[in-house]
Amino acid sequence: MTEKTVVPFQGTPEQEAQLKEVIAKHHDQPGGLMPTLQEAQGIYGYLPIEVQRMIADGLGMSLSEVYGVATFYSQFSLTPKGKHKISVCLGTACYVKGSDKILEAVEAKLGIKSGECTADGKFSIDSCRCVGACGLAPVMLVDEDVYGKLTPEQVGKILDKYDD
């Protein structure tokens, strides 16, 4: 079993002030938790437990309620995203053409697993089900750049271009 890479929470006083404004705006609104979580993720880029606690306290609800909603909806992330976001398509066409090997090559190159972020915050990896580029299978996205017809051997050279 490998140990999961954990990036420590590094919120700023400015972000906390923004979050407090968001909480105050939605405090008395029925269903205010969803917009609060959406705006909080916009402020921080993800929803770490520290932010979830502030939201729970500010909205007068339990942490488990906040966590339950944050983990139920796929639009929310509990882990930080890197400066460069990598997504490897594991949809049928890509998978049949070896995208699982592409994902393994990305994980090996960066030393993290899908759903994690490198300790320096440069890269995060996620998998997805389809990017709509089946004719280019297997496909990997780095930020907005699409790479198709990949082999595992090409992954390192591609990622080196983003190591700024």
Side-chain angles (χ1 to χ4, degrees), residues 22-33:
V22 167
I23 291 169
K25 178 172 70 173
H26 296 295
H27 185 272
D28 296 321
Q29 175 185 351
L33 177 57

Side-chain angles (χ1 to χ4, degrees), residues 22-72:
V22 167
I23 291 169
K25 178 172 70 173
H26 296 295
H27 185 272
D28 296 321
Q29 175 185 351
L33 177 57
M34 282 295 288
T36 302
L37 289 171
Q38 290 167 331
E39 291 184 49
Q41 184 162 282
I43 293 167
Y44 291 94
Y46 71 115
L47 298 171
I49 194 69
E50 295 85 354
V51 170
Q52 293 176 57
R53 277 193 191 103
M54 287 187 267
I55 292 171
D57 292 345
L59 295 179
M61 57 180 47
S62 71
L63 177 59
S64 64
E65 287 177 279
V66 174
Y67 179 81
V69 172
T71 56
F72 180 80

